[in-house]
Amino acid sequence: MRGHPRVLIAGGGLGGLAAALALLRMGCDVEVCEQAPELKEVGAGVQLAPNGTRVLYALGVGEELKALSCEAEGKEIRLWNSGETWKLHDLGKASIERYGYPYFTVYRPDLLGVLERAVRREKPAAIRLGSKCVGFHQNEEKTTLQLDGGATVEGDVLIGADGVHSRIRQGLFGADQPQFTGVIAWRGIVPMEKLPRHMVRRVGTNWVGPGGHVVHYPLRAGRVMNFVGALERTDWQVESWSARGTPEELGADFAGWHDDVQALIRNIPAPYKWALMVRPPMRRWSVGRVSLLGDACHSMVPFLAQGANMAIEDGYILARALTEGGDDIPARLARYENARRERTRRAVEGSANNIQRFHNKALADPVQAREYVDREWAGQPVAERYEWLFRYDVTTVEI
Ligand SMILES: Cc1cc2nc3c(=O)[nH]c(=O)nc-3n(C[C@H](O)[C@H](O)[C@H](O)COP(=O)(O)OP(=O)(O)OC[C@H]3O[C@@H](n4cnc5c(N)ncnc54)[C@H](O)[C@@H]3O)c2cc1C
């Protein structure tokens, strides 16, 4: 190998494409093999915190994304039945003043489209669609990725960015053993014009209640509202983003919740539901010339809104590790992994801790609930839970 390595990426999701863009911009050759015949994301929202938008601005796509996003003015906590409201963060201008970068809420297909266009601008043929990865080999000189149908692709490095059910992770470490959290989640998109006027705001709202919580925030310049509702329930354990539930079942799960929650639920004609699993943080995820990123190595429940942010950060740090330093690929991958292990472990654990925090039994009683929210969402505890996430700078952090 002379100069920067040629990198194969299995999976063209948010993490795989962010990595491809970072690697191309730092001078590597890249080939992304994505199983889907076209690049698509589920029609749902994703929150990009300043640690994630900082990466996207560094990759030159910040302004294009801004035009498609909502810039949340802030976030609030509301009590499941009374609707009583507490401020969680000021965002908007405050995010830029404090962290240097905005907090965006984005429609996932819009984000994927921005990344895809940017990758293709760097290398038009970088993304190979309809290419399912089924296995790989490596030796001291190269890696070979095997595709469904028998074709193979060669490179200096292979990165598994193939999500929570990663084939590449399985090839490295065997089958994993996810554990059901006892929580299922619902998702849907609501046209903004269907909601009462007082709900049409550029604010992210987190309703907390005993045994469940609801998050909603605006997308697509405020034309739609993204809904996620999580509930402790053990009769559904399918980890899939495309399983449908019924409006009646969703309504029954949140019976007794505030009218604003009911207004959202009434306007989701075809909700989706999925079971939330946890996997213990991996102690390592690189072997020789093969490594992992994003959900393939540190999937997390979505209650810190950081899974995609972490996958995007991974891509930038991986590109730095592969382009700064010597020719020893396994050593460079070890540097990448070392730079990411502790931070992603904290995010996996922090998001799991939020299940108890958001669903606490104290929230059943009005007096206890108020004391509980005052304590859990006071300035200092919130700063401890989020500052370390939002302030991380992929461009300058020592690796
Ligand atoms: C309800 C919900 C809300 C969320 N909200 C947020 C949020 O607000 N903020 C946030 O930061 N994160 C959020 N997340 C987490 C975030 O969605 C994930 O962490 C992120 O999508 C991970 O990206 P990835 O690229 O690692 O994996 P994925 O997005 O799963 O992409 C994997 C890609 O690999 C492809 N693939 C899989 N297998 C193969 C194969 N064998 N061969 C080739 N291609 C393959 C897939 O088709 C896919 O394109 C949320 C998650 C959920 C479930």
Side-chain angles (χ1 to χ4, degrees):
M1 184 190 87
R2 279 196 306 274
H4 291 332
R6 172 172 154 75
V7 184
L8 308 178
I9 299 178
L14 299 177
L17 291 194
L21 181 57
L23 287 159
L24 286 164
R25 287 181 65 110
M26 292 186 210
C28 296
D29 184 26
V30 172
E31 191 152 348
V32 178
C33 295
E34 164 59 43
Q35 64 182 2
E38 57 178 317
L39 281 180
K40 56 176 197 253
E41 254 289 354
V42 288
V46 62
Q47 305 184 55
L48 292 176
N51 53 308
T53 57
R54 185 180 287 117
V55 184
L56 296 165
Y57 273 92
L59 293 175
V61 294
E63 287 301 313
E64 189 181 345
L65 188 62
K66 180 177 176 169
L68 297 167
S69 307
C70 265
E71 216 167 323
E73 286 161 13
K75 278 203 189 182
E76 62 192 17
I77 299 288
R78 296 191 72 184
L79 209 50
W80 67 289
N81 52 357
S82 67
E84 197 171 339
T85 306
W86 287 257
K87 186 169 83 176
L88 173 56
H89 311 288
D90 282 324
L91 295 169
K93 281 199 192 102
S95 172
I96 296 171
E97 278 162 22
R98 207 171 163 83
Y99 309 110
Y101 288 88
Y103 195 106
F104 288 155
T105 56
V106 192
Y107 190 56
R108 300 173 76 106
D110 290 343
L111 173 57
L112 197 73
V114 165
L115 291 170
E116 178 190 1
R117 286 191 291 282
V119 168
R120 291 196 197 277
R121 279 196 295 273
E122 297 289 330
K123 180 183 171 191
I127 307 169
R128 193 170 166 152
L129 296 171
S131 299
K132 181 172 181 170
C133 307
V134 292
F136 63 88
H137 293 301
Q138 62 170 321
N139 60 28
E140 284 184 1
E141 275 151 28
K142 63 177 185 188
T143 62
T144 307
L145 185 55
Q146 299 160 322
L147 304 179
D148 200 14
T152 57
V153 197
E154 290 188 352
D156 301 307
V157 180
L158 167 63
I159 302 299
D162 48 347
V164 75
H165 302 294
S166 171
R167 284 292 272 263
I168 307 299
R169 182 187 64 224
Q170 255 181 53
L172 291 174
F173 302 108
D176 67 342
Q177 291 182 327
Q179 281 183 340
F180 179 49
T181 54
V183 178
I184 73 147
W186 291 92
R187 70 177 170 87
I189 295 279
V190 183
M192 203 62 95
E193 73 269 11
K194 301 264 189 189
L195 293 174
R197 280 186 73 84
H198 71 269
M199 292 183 73
V200 181
R201 298 159 61 222
R202 294 200 171 208
V203 168
T205 304
N206 189 351
W207 295 82
V208 291
H213 79 281
V214 167
V215 172
H216 60 86
Y217 51 82
L219 299 175
R220 308 205 101 181
R223 293 197 300 280
V224 293
M225 187 76 95
N226 189 60
F227 169 95
V228 175
L231 198 86
E232 289 172 18
R233 232 181 88 174
T234 53
D235 57 330
W236 170 263
Q237 300 194 12
V238 181
E239 192 183 26
S240 156
W241 262 63
S242 49
R244 295 264 189 185
T246 63
E248 294 72 29
E249 191 187 350
L250 169 58
D253 274 356
F254 290 93
W257 285 57
H258 190 268
D259 283 352
D260 288 354
V261 175
Q262 305 304 332
L264 290 158
I265 289 175
R266 255 197 319 278
N267 288 295
I268 305 175
Y272 292 86
K273 63 176 181 177
W274 76 103
L276 293 171
M277 304 287 178
V278 279
R279 292 165 173 80
M282 294 176 73
R283 283 198 291 272
R284 57 186 289 235
W285 58 73
S286 307
V287 177
R289 293 171 171 267
V290 182
S291 189
L292 304 172
L293 67 71
D295 279 6
C297 51
H298 47 67
S299 68
M300 56 192 84
V301 293
F303 302 155
L304 204 55
Q306 280 288 333
N309 286 280
M310 289 292 144
I312 290 167
E313 286 182 3
D314 283 348
Y316 198 98
I317 298 290
L318 172 73
R320 278 187 55 196
L322 286 177
T323 55
E324 296 170 4
D327 278 350
D328 181 345
I329 296 277
R332 293 198 214 177
L333 289 178
R335 235 170 103 211
Y336 149 70
E337 189 188 303
N338 287 338
R340 300 298 298 157
R341 194 183 305 106
E342 174 59 15
R343 179 166 170 82
T344 55
R345 183 196 62 75
R346 273 184 85 182
V348 169
E349 291 180 359
S351 54
N353 292 343
N354 272 346
I355 297 179
Q356 249 315 301
R357 182 170 291 114
F358 294 171
H359 298 186
N360 202 280
K361 302 259 176 300
L363 296 161
D365 173 80
V367 177
Q368 275 188 43
R370 215 164 282 140
E371 285 168 6
Y372 175 74
V373 175
D374 280 344
R375 194 173 61 241
E376 285 296 316
W377 284 279
Q380 191 52 32
V382 168
E384 279 164 18
R385 295 202 293 274
Y386 292 95
E387 286 288 299
W388 69 276
L389 285 166
F390 293 177
R391 289 201 181 276
Y392 184 83
D393 185 345
V394 285
T395 63
T396 56
V397 70
E398 206 172 312
I399 63 169

